[in-house]
Amino acid sequence: MAYLSVIVLLPLAAVAVRSVDGGLGGFWRAVSSPEAQSALELTVVLSLIVVAINAVTGTLIAWVLVRDSFRGKGVVNAIIDLPFALPTIVAGLTLLALYGPRSPAGVDVSYARVGVGMALLFVTLPFVVRAVQPVLMELDRDMEDAAVSLGASGWQVFTRIVLPGILPAILSGVALAFARAIGEFGSVVLISGNLPFKTEVASVFIFGRIESDNIPAAAAVSIVLLAASLLLLAAIAGLSRWGRRHEL
Amino acid sequence: MSIELSGVRKSFGDFVAVDDVSLEVRDGSLTALLGPSGSGKSTLLRIIAGLEVPDSGRVVIAGADRTDTPARSRDVGFVFQHYAPFKHMTVRDNIAFGLKIRKVPRERIRERVGELLGLVHLEGYAGQYPSQLSGGQRQRMALARALAVEPRVLLLDEPFGALDATVRKELRAWLRRLHDDVHVTTIFVTHDQEEAMEIAEQIVVLNEGRIEQIGAPREVYEHPATEFVMGFVGPVTHIGGSMVRPHDVDIATTPVAGGTEALVERILHLGFEVRVELVTGDGLPVHAQLTRQECEELELREGQIVYIRPNRLLRAVA
């Protein structure tokens, strides 16, 4: 408990205290300043889009990895974890090299929201895949055969039998990916160019405030992100409880 | 509906699961596919259901060639060993699944589900989830689910294999009665000869992907076609090189014509039945099955010398 306090609770409390250094009015002013709002909005909206895309592609990848057999499956399976293993700043550099001003592919998404989105897609890819994969493996194949013998088409089997089985896993993967996306810094900071009102995300905004010695503003925006994370944690807990109720 | 298989073959890689099987099942009959694990009985059942595609051969159901009909259009009810319940649905929704897929009117679904809940004695459980049911209840739910769509054929893959002995016995008797009521052509897979004997009208004995014998339970038991069937459908003991069922061994305390001298090693009282373990003069073990009364009349003791003689020999007809 003491350990938990020192490592987790104390720093969080410190940030919370700092955020209201200028009183609640100061907190509100910091959070509602146009630049802060723009950064928060961009972060949340972009994260939602990115997570929605990864919910679909991540489920597809998990499906292919579990149900199909092909050459090099082990390698692909290992590559999925790369965004986890790679230091995020390295990921940012890689993306900048590939899709930056001197892109060998002729695609330049640096200093654009698309670039930020791509960075977020990259770092959050494994969450849904890794959440869905084990559940899909455990899924009772007989259930699908039973549905087929009762007259269900492939699509009906997927939507009525498979999807309800893996939905809690997809959602918990999505929640984790979202939590990661709203706080992502390293991979975004290079490619975004950090243009206020355009590509500046919340984490970079916070960094900027600290650089310019406006700690209460940084802390205030941090608290908003923190609140979003906590909300998500609660959602994850709720989801997994809901999911477990229907397990055998 | 009748089922006819001709020349059905299926292999998985190098393993031949079903090897040139031809079989006829009468409309409304109750047939057991009996064999050890790996004998191809489950694969054969899945081929009839359309869940596996045979490499060659034809599957004819009710006179129509269904070999190329996908499983979803075959009108076959399938029941799995591990019940395969739809875990996220209530018992009611599980049973209604096939009807909903067929877009049966809601009112009719309600009626039909009510009927089936009665048929499988799950009236009070409509709103429960499968996880709240016992194994036997889950399997009855799975049966109701399969019967809901009024299939032409009901296929059961080791339906009682995962249940404990008491429930298994109950469900066997229940399935037998159910078949008398519903009269749908039924094939079930089992590795338990007693189960096959108890439920089926016709037994198909399979071994290594091939049919060893097809016949009524009594026929298969008393006139086994091959040595494999002999050994698989009932207990066998050897006396002087010939095979005999242990209950067909006569024991006499005085020398008899054609009798073999043997030493009583152990006498095991198994309720109504007594199992006598003997060893013949050439050191070979034999066991015999007696009723308790027979045993008492003979006044058998361990260490006694007796004379044994088969009163009916088993011979492979082939």
Side-chain angles (χ1 to χ4, degrees):
Chain A
M1 196 61 208
Y3 180 77
L4 192 69
S5 303
V6 172
I7 299 294
V8 183
L9 298 179
L10 213 56
L12 290 185
V15 174
V17 169
R18 265 309 164 81
S19 70
V20 289
D21 265 1
L24 279 177
F27 175 85
W28 183 245
R29 263 193 307 283
V31 172
S32 63
S33 80
E35 197 184 333
Q37 274 214 326
S38 159
L40 281 168
E41 206 179 291
L42 174 70
T43 306
V44 171
V45 171
L46 210 54
S47 298
L48 284 175
I49 295 172
V50 159
V51 155
I53 294 173
N54 268 343
V56 176
T57 54
T59 305
L60 278 173
I61 292 172
W63 181 273
V64 169
L65 285 175
V66 173
R67 291 294 171 89
D68 290 354
S69 54
F70 53 91
R71 254 173 200 278
K73 181 164 151 177
V75 178
V76 173
N77 197 14
I79 288 176
I80 299 294
D81 281 332
L82 211 58
F84 274 166
L86 212 59
T88 51
I89 192 79
V90 179
L93 200 63
T94 322
L95 286 169
L96 194 63
L98 188 58
Y99 301 121
R102 271 171 287 164
S103 162
V107 185
D108 182 4
V109 292
S110 62
Y111 307 160
R113 288 182 173 177
V114 181
V116 181
M118 290 193 53
L120 294 182
L121 276 175
F122 178 83
V123 295
T124 59
L125 172 71
F127 288 100
V128 173
V129 179
R130 290 298 182 234
V132 171
Q133 216 176 358
V135 178
L136 207 50
M137 271 194 258
E138 290 292 305
L139 208 65
D140 184 4
R141 296 290 285 269
D142 284 350
M143 241 177 12
E144 292 163 52
D145 282 345
V148 167
S149 77
L150 289 167
S153 66
W155 178 247
Q156 285 171 323
V157 171
F158 182 76
T159 54
R160 297 186 185 208
I161 305 298
V162 177
L163 201 56
I166 60 174
L167 196 61
I170 295 177
L171 291 177
S172 81
V174 159
L176 287 169
F178 184 77
R180 173 71 183 266
I182 59 168
E184 180 56 21
F185 181 83
S187 63
V188 174
V189 70
L190 293 178
I191 201 160
S192 75
N194 313 319
L195 308 170
F197 301 106
K198 191 171 175 232
T199 60
E200 188 181 52
V201 295
S203 60
V204 177
F205 174 87
I206 293 167
F207 183 68
R209 289 312 96 146
I210 291 170
E211 290 280 87
S212 55
D213 227 8
N214 187 352
I215 302 219
V221 172
S222 302
I223 285 299
V224 175
L225 289 184
L226 184 66
S229 297
L230 285 177
L231 216 67
L232 266 159
L233 271 181
I236 295 171
L239 281 175
S240 50
R241 203 170 311 138
W242 175 76
R244 230 172 305 141
R245 241 193 337 187
H246 301 302
E247 286 299 303
L248 277 180
Chain B
M1 305 293 156
S2 66
I3 302 170
E4 271 176 68
L5 305 177
S6 53
V8 171
R9 181 186 288 272
K10 173 78 184 177
S11 48
F12 299 101
D14 289 336
F15 176 71
V16 181
V18 174
D19 192 0
D20 194 23
V21 165
S22 297
L23 170 66
E24 259 180 65
V25 173
R26 257 188 321 105
D27 182 21
S29 65
L30 181 45
T31 300
L33 299 182
L34 174 67
S37 60
S39 60
K41 54 195 192 305
S42 287
T43 308
L44 198 57
L45 200 72
R46 291 175 64 85
I47 287 173
I48 299 171
L51 296 171
E52 299 287 353
V53 180
D55 300 335
S56 59
R58 313 307 295 170
V59 178
V60 175
I61 300 174
D65 190 327
R66 295 285 179 174
T67 317
D68 303 314
T69 307
R72 59 178 297 230
S73 319
R74 277 197 196 187
D75 279 333
V76 159
F78 204 100
V79 173
F80 297 82
Q81 179 176 5
H82 298 287
Y83 334 122
F86 302 142
K87 295 176 201 169
H88 57 287
M89 295 182 197
T90 59
V91 170
R92 180 187 296 113
D93 289 339
N94 263 277
I95 297 174
F97 186 83
L99 300 169
K100 283 184 184 162
I101 294 283
R102 283 168 172 72
K103 303 213 166 16
V104 173
R106 191 177 293 230
E107 194 48 37
R108 177 76 194 110
I109 293 183
R110 238 169 44 92
E111 275 173 41
R112 183 84 183 119
V113 170
E115 280 167 37
L116 285 156
L117 284 169
L119 189 70
V120 299
H121 309 302
L122 287 175
E123 287 94 343
Y125 296 89
Q128 308 253 22
Y129 283 92
S131 57
Q132 295 166 297
L133 304 182
S134 71
Q137 290 171 330
R138 276 180 216 170
Q139 196 56 302
R140 294 208 304 270
M141 179 196 81
L143 249 154
R145 184 176 69 183
L147 289 171
V149 297
E150 292 174 26
R152 300 154 175 273
V153 172
L154 181 62
L155 305 174
L156 307 108
D157 190 1
E158 301 259 9
F160 313 130
L163 300 167
D164 63 58
T166 332
V167 182
R168 194 155 60 212
K169 269 209 152 24
E170 252 173 58
L171 278 189
R172 279 180 196 168
W174 178 79
L175 176 67
R176 186 71 235 223
R177 283 199 304 276
L178 183 81
H179 181 259
D180 292 341
D181 293 344
V182 183
H183 261 309
V184 56
T185 311
T186 304
I187 303 182
F188 74 99
V189 156
T190 181
H191 62 266
D192 180 345
Q193 50 89 17
E194 199 184 306
E195 186 166 291
M197 298 270 172
E198 195 176 320
I199 306 176
E201 296 160 0
Q202 173 179 251
I203 295 180
V204 179
V205 185
L206 285 157
N207 183 34
E208 293 181 345
R210 293 174 166 277
I211 293 181
E212 295 270 337
Q213 188 174 7
I214 303 177
R218 188 164 172 182
E219 194 182 328
V220 170
Y221 189 81
E222 292 184 356
H223 306 290
T226 63
E227 281 203 15
F228 174 81
V229 176
M230 229 185 278
F232 197 75
V233 299
V236 172
T237 194
H238 295 259
I239 299 179
S242 45
M243 293 173 100
V244 57
R245 300 263 183 241
H247 52 72
D248 289 334
V249 176
D250 281 344
I251 299 182
T253 44
T254 50
V256 284
T260 310
E261 203 179 58
L263 171 74
V264 178
E265 281 211 308
R266 261 159 77 80
I267 301 173
L268 302 166
H269 293 270
L270 310 166
F272 169 71
E273 180 185 294
V274 177
R275 186 185 155 103
V276 183
E277 291 180 359
L278 308 118
V279 58
T280 56
D282 27 2
L284 295 172
V286 177
H287 69 270
Q289 221 175 343
L290 277 64
T291 65
R292 206 174 54 197
Q293 199 184 355
E294 283 169 342
C295 184
E296 277 165 12
E297 279 167 9
L298 285 167
E299 295 177 343
L300 285 184
R301 282 169 289 103
E302 286 176 7
Q304 192 180 358
I305 300 289
V306 293
Y307 302 89
I308 55 173
R309 189 174 59 170
N311 63 28
R312 179 218 292 270
L313 278 179
L314 289 170
R315 193 171 291 114
V317 185

